[in-house]
Amino acid sequence: MSRRTTLALSAAAVTALAVVAASLSWTIAAPQAVAFAERDLSRRYGLGLAVAGPATLTLLPAPRLTFSGVRLIRGGHDLVASDGLQVQLGLAGLLAGRAEIAGLVLDRARIALPSGAGRDWAEPAARLAARVAAGRGRHLRRLVLRDATVTGHDPRTGLPETITGLNLVANWPRPSAGLDLSAAFTWRGVPTTLALSGLRPRELAAGAETPVTAALTWKGEGAGTEGPAAEGSAEIEGSLVWAGDFSRDLGRDLARDLARDLAEDAAKETSDRGPRLSGQGRFVTAALPGTLAWLGIAPGPAALAGPVSLDGRFLARSGGMEWPEIRVRIGDNQLEGAGAASLARGRLSLTGTLAAERLDLSGLMPETASDRTPSGSASSGKPWSRAPLALDGLTGGDLDLRLSAVSARLGPVEAQDVAAGLLVRDGIVEATLGRATVQGGTVKGRAALATLPAGLDARLQGSVDRVDLGGLFADLGWPRWILGRAQASVALDGAGSSLADLVGRLAGRAAATVEGGEILGLNLADLAQRPDTAGNALRRGGRTHFERARVSLTVSEGVAEIGQGQLRGAALTASLGGRIFLSERRLGAEARIEPGPDGRAGGSFAIEGPWLRPNLRPLSARTVLPAPLPKAASAYAP
């Protein structure tokens, strides 16, 4: 072997040994290593470093110091405690004999976010923001957290919060490049993942606009032992800008002062600082109440919704969000329009104007077994529910919603050209039907519920015009006992702790007029001729045609007094009086069939029993209502 070959092999062996040695971890004196790393941490961020265990140095593939039993300190308080810390060093700085920290890796770190010692975070945050904005000096290119725990306090409620199992990787290779971040963690028992890319910290710190793309997913077993699970995702693609002094704002006690100040500014609609995010966004959840409960937001009217998705252009700022264009899907309903949301002291407020081709609101009126008989008709034998009435599940948030639809369904009723609104405030729910076409007629109405110390106050106003009663009764599954076009108005109010209590206290007025109709299942002319057949008159069937029928009701303490009950046909006139007992769902009325001008007999009959299945019986002669006086003689009546 030649001498040159021997020298080459020796050099290769020495190089290999040097590489192997550089790749090994060498235990070094901990105090000197700590002082070496702490100089850069203190100069850049004002942080102190305390180490309880040994220190090791590894040169390849990148220079790094590794410590165990680590604490990052500021103002005499531990901000971070970690089982292990790996400090990645810049090679150029190391060759020059100084520490230039390029990356940090923390194992099983316990991070205390600002709370009682929140001021200790102010200087590190301010220094970081200033360096990023100025673009000077070396920056932290990589941050890794393995199985970390983060503790803090909810700025809205002051209650403690904890994130566990946090695994985070953040890369920022160059000051001019974007920041990429991925994280997985568990919060309030729900596993969650976050991915962020494209964010340019230098532009953000300098007050310029930066692109940003983010995706958040969560899937758990729910916020509690009951209720739907928190499951869903949110995605955004847009731009982010910080209005105001980024260094000053980031250097404040973010968990207390800034959050409080921004919330107050948002309430006054004068917020001029803080983050502003705009772009395209999408939000999807399989169960909105579960997701809101997980976030600590009172679900309010959202408790009525199942799967929900939002997609559209948005603008988010401190305390609120706006959607100039939004597409909403709730179950099979698809709506488009605009909306806004705000959050103050944990209370969610929503406003929106939405339109749909077809809208199915049947889910808002769940049908209970107690309201129906097996045949599907309304029950008259079962009492009204005595379950306590409350709005707690509906008024946990605020809602101001305006809806319009070409066609809509509410339970079994189909409507067209619908314009409606729903207003929810603390302890108040108000539903308004501006207009709707139902069975060829127009329906309008307003219903309001308000919380009382014990129960609810209820108010109902409405009107119908030219509605086909036969078609409406068929939709509702009621017996089609009367046909014709109806006009009606109603104004009722009541208060009670249960539905039975409320019905028993109803008061108000109602009136209805039916034109050109007929009564099915009863022939009044035949009944007048043969009053002894009243017991089975309804079972025999028949028809009574009429030109106009009118009835008015005065309601007090749950009893409706019948006034001006009249029916007029070409050859028949009848009147109706008596009472409807709403609490008991029964009738106690008297009907009088007037004698015809051709000498046809008249008669009086009692209408008694369940209001949808009444019984008829003839009244004796002494109880027959007297015939009305002729109009010409009314002036002489005593």
Side-chain angles (χ1 to χ4, degrees), residues 364-403:
L364 301 183
M365 295 185 65
E367 188 177 35
T368 62
S370 61
D371 295 329
R372 294 283 174 183
T373 62
S375 63
S377 60
S379 170
S380 57
K382 296 183 178 180
W384 298 100
S385 171
R386 294 195 173 276
L389 293 176
L391 297 178
D392 296 344
L394 300 177
T395 61
D398 296 334
L399 177 66
D400 187 355
L401 181 62
R402 303 176 189 277
L403 292 173

Side-chain angles (χ1 to χ4, degrees), residues 323-367:
W323 291 277
E325 299 175 3
I326 190 171
R327 293 172 295 279
V328 181
R329 187 180 184 112
I330 303 175
D332 294 330
N333 297 314
Q334 299 185 52
L335 306 98
E336 296 185 1
S342 63
L343 184 64
R345 295 177 296 278
R347 186 175 178 85
L348 179 65
S349 297
L350 297 173
T351 62
T353 301
L354 301 172
E357 287 292 322
R358 178 166 180 79
L359 198 59
D360 190 346
L361 302 177
S362 300
L364 301 183
M365 295 185 65
E367 188 177 35

